[in-house]
Amino acid sequence: FPIGKHAARWLQSLRWDHASSTVESYEHTVAHLAWHYPTLDVGDLGHEHLMEFLTERWGEAADATKRNRVAALRAFFAWLELEPNPASKLRSPRRKGRERQAYDYDVLRGLVSAQESLRDQVALELLALLALRKNELRLMQIRHIDLGRNLLTVHGKGGKVALLPIEFKGLSDDLYLHIVGESRQPDEYLLYPRRDTSRPMHPATVHRWFKRCLETAGLPNSIEMHELRHSAADHLWRATGNIVLAQQLLRHESVGTTQTYLHPSRDDLAAGMRTLELERAKVN
């Protein structure tokens, strides 16, 4: 299709310096655009065409999905350098500002233990203990798990690669049972579509997988996968009192970003005040 030819060149340029998840998400959007207007070229499209396309295809989608689709179209038409730019007036739904939270170990243990598949158990443990992002888990291959040295190779945002120690005995044991006991091969993906272990799950399928895990554990659907990452950082910070270690776990460049992942409560504040009072009493 005419639009598809431009989209192919754009995606090729993106693959040079963007993470695979970004390119895959953008490709999904422009592919549907090409299908939606099979006889039109990019110069024939106006703002009204894009609004009709977005409304018909994703009018009932979640706000986060809508924001992603608008971002893809804006990036595509900015690359085309069309004047006027039909995507320049596209507006994304405003973020509702729902504050994420960290969950207690009992909740996380219940989520993990409720899964019948050992694969699902270790995948959830990687989210809740090692703070993996959704796409990092999606792209995790068996060869990235070094049981001999207890190290996990994580392919993160922007193509960054990090090594994380696996110091949780339960996680280490579960990984061993899954990999060795189930004869997993190095090039296989930890999460995969149906029975094709040579391919990673699609991002939307990973989302549905997580919601099924919540349902299996009898937990509310409102729990977000990213909140397991918050939980991992919050627990490490509480255990050590060291925000820099939490920063290293999350692989943030700024400790300021890490602070938004920590969730001190009123009880924590009261406990801190009691500790301060004991220190003041010693001085006096």
Side-chain angles (χ1 to χ4, degrees), residues 142-273:
I142 301 303
R143 62 187 174 91
H144 298 147
I145 305 168
D146 187 340
L147 295 175
R149 296 189 297 162
N150 275 345
L151 288 176
L152 187 75
T153 301
V154 180
H155 293 264
K157 282 185 175 181
K160 295 180 180 178
V161 179
L163 288 176
L164 290 179
I166 307 173
E167 294 297 331
F168 300 98
K169 189 177 186 306
L171 172 58
S172 181
D173 291 345
D174 288 345
L175 286 170
Y176 180 85
L177 289 173
H178 176 59
I179 294 172
V180 178
E182 300 184 16
S183 301
R184 298 298 306 272
Q185 300 303 306
D187 290 337
E188 294 180 349
Y189 285 88
L190 180 62
L191 295 181
Y192 47 85
R194 298 186 183 274
R195 298 184 181 278
D196 187 357
T197 59
S198 66
R199 294 190 299 118
M201 275 187 183
H202 188 276
T205 308
V206 177
H207 175 77
R208 291 192 293 271
W209 163 81
F210 181 69
K211 294 304 179 183
R212 284 196 299 270
C213 290
L214 290 175
E215 183 179 0
T216 299
L219 292 171
N221 191 58
S222 58
I223 295 178
E224 299 179 10
M225 189 184 307
H226 202 71
E227 289 180 319
L228 270 61
R229 181 168 160 83
H230 280 246
S231 301
D234 191 70
H235 292 156
L236 180 64
W237 166 66
R238 288 174 184 276
T240 65
N242 192 329
I243 193 174
V244 176
L245 294 181
Q247 179 188 7
Q248 290 179 341
L249 177 67
L250 294 171
R251 289 156 283 124
H252 286 154
E253 292 186 1
S254 168
V255 73
T257 304
T258 302
Q259 286 179 320
T260 65
Y261 280 69
L262 309 181
H263 302 272
S265 64
R266 187 181 295 113
D267 290 341
D268 296 322
L269 177 60
M273 289 180 174

Side-chain angles (χ1 to χ4, degrees), residues 33 36-37 45-60 66 69-70 73-74 77 86-93:
L33 180 65
H36 197 82
Y37 296 113
L45 297 176
H47 175 74
E48 65 281 1
H49 290 100
L50 300 185
M51 284 305 303
E52 177 193 52
F53 162 64
L54 289 170
T55 302
E56 184 172 325
R57 184 68 184 82
W58 291 291
E60 301 300 322
K66 292 178 180 178
R69 304 307 181 238
V70 168
L73 292 179
R74 284 177 178 168
F77 283 95
S88 61
K89 294 183 179 180
L90 292 179
R91 295 291 177 262
S92 300

Side-chain angles (χ1 to χ4, degrees), residues 30-47:
V30 293
H32 278 285
L33 180 65
W35 276 99
H36 197 82
Y37 296 113
T39 62
L40 299 184
D41 205 342
V42 289
D44 302 322
L45 297 176
H47 175 74

